[in-house]
Amino acid sequence: MTALDVVPLARMKVTQGTLDAEPHGWLVVRTARMRAVVPGLEASRATLRFKLSGPSTEQRPLESGELRQQVGLKLRALDGCNVLYVMWRIAPKPGVVVNYKRNPDMHHSHDCGNAGYTTVRPSVRHTARTLAPSLETEHTLRAHLDAGTLRVWADDLLVWEGTLPSEALELEGPVGLRSDNVQLSLQLAVPPS
């Protein structure tokens, strides 16, 4: 398998919340919501390494009203209304979920809100580890999209495998990150460009 390169903060465009640099290439999230992409970097593989500190000081519900704690990868992130997500949910219901948001005529999240989400059902699913706050424990969320099949590993365990619908595969855009209501240190790694 090809080695992956850690993406520095300077290459990322943060669209919500903040990302701050820490020593040794780690980034830290302290805000209730964080969204970021790596402009111009489309990738079929991405790995998110992270250490969970705990809930963010401020807790903000999603547009649906649900108060969820989660962290994950954005794949094919055209914009805030058209994106494929691989999310590791922490609370209230833990697990790994793949969904996409598709609103072809909208491009700003304030326009589409939580409209256009579809959860993709896997053909193979295994239970991911339940996450507990610990700055000593590093976790990985890894996604690999190959010819329409998406595979997701959580801490090196294949937890999700399935064929993406054509609507999700039509999305085009860069790779990125998302977090909701958690504080964590993280690194995004992608194939060398």
Side-chain angles (χ1 to χ4, degrees), residues 10-29:
R11 285 197 62 197
M12 293 189 191
K13 178 181 179 185
V14 179
T15 58
Q16 272 190 23
T18 59
L19 270 174
D20 296 311
E22 286 189 326
H24 311 294
W26 288 84
L27 306 175
V28 65
V29 177

Side-chain angles (χ1 to χ4, degrees), residues 73-99:
L73 294 163
K74 295 166 108 177
L75 304 172
R76 299 180 174 217
L78 175 64
D79 51 45
C81 293
N82 299 280
V83 58
L84 172 63
Y85 289 108
V86 176
M87 301 302 296
W88 196 339
R89 293 182 178 171
I90 300 158
K93 185 177 178 184
V96 172
V97 175
V98 172
N99 56 27

Side-chain angles (χ1 to χ4, degrees), residues 2-92:
T2 306
L4 301 179
D5 290 340
V6 173
V7 178
L9 180 57
R11 285 197 62 197
M12 293 189 191
K13 178 181 179 185
V14 179
T15 58
Q16 272 190 23
T18 59
L19 270 174
D20 296 311
E22 286 189 326
H24 311 294
W26 288 84
L27 306 175
V28 65
V29 177
R30 294 184 183 91
T31 55
R33 286 190 184 156
M34 185 279 300
R35 311 286 187 270
V37 294
V38 185
L41 180 63
E42 295 185 23
S44 60
R45 290 190 304 130
T47 298
L48 173 62
R49 297 171 53 200
F50 65 95
K51 298 174 191 176
L52 181 64
S53 303
S56 56
T57 303
E58 178 193 4
Q59 296 283 291
R60 289 178 58 190
L62 302 176
E63 292 287 331
S64 66
E66 182 179 9
L67 188 58
R68 186 182 301 153
Q69 295 173 2
Q70 61 184 356
V71 60
L73 294 163
K74 295 166 108 177
L75 304 172
R76 299 180 174 217
L78 175 64
D79 51 45
C81 293
N82 299 280
V83 58
L84 172 63
Y85 289 108
V86 176
M87 301 302 296
W88 196 339
R89 293 182 178 171
I90 300 158

Side-chain angles (χ1 to χ4, degrees), residues 4 41-47 73-76 84 86 142-153 164 169 173-175 189-191:
L4 301 179
L41 180 63
E42 295 185 23
S44 60
R45 290 190 304 130
T47 298
L73 294 163
K74 295 166 108 177
L75 304 172
R76 299 180 174 217
L84 172 63
V86 176
R142 185 166 43 106
H144 185 181
L145 180 58
D146 182 28
T149 299
L150 179 65
R151 291 178 183 86
V152 179
W153 292 263
L164 296 179
L169 293 171
V175 68
V190 295

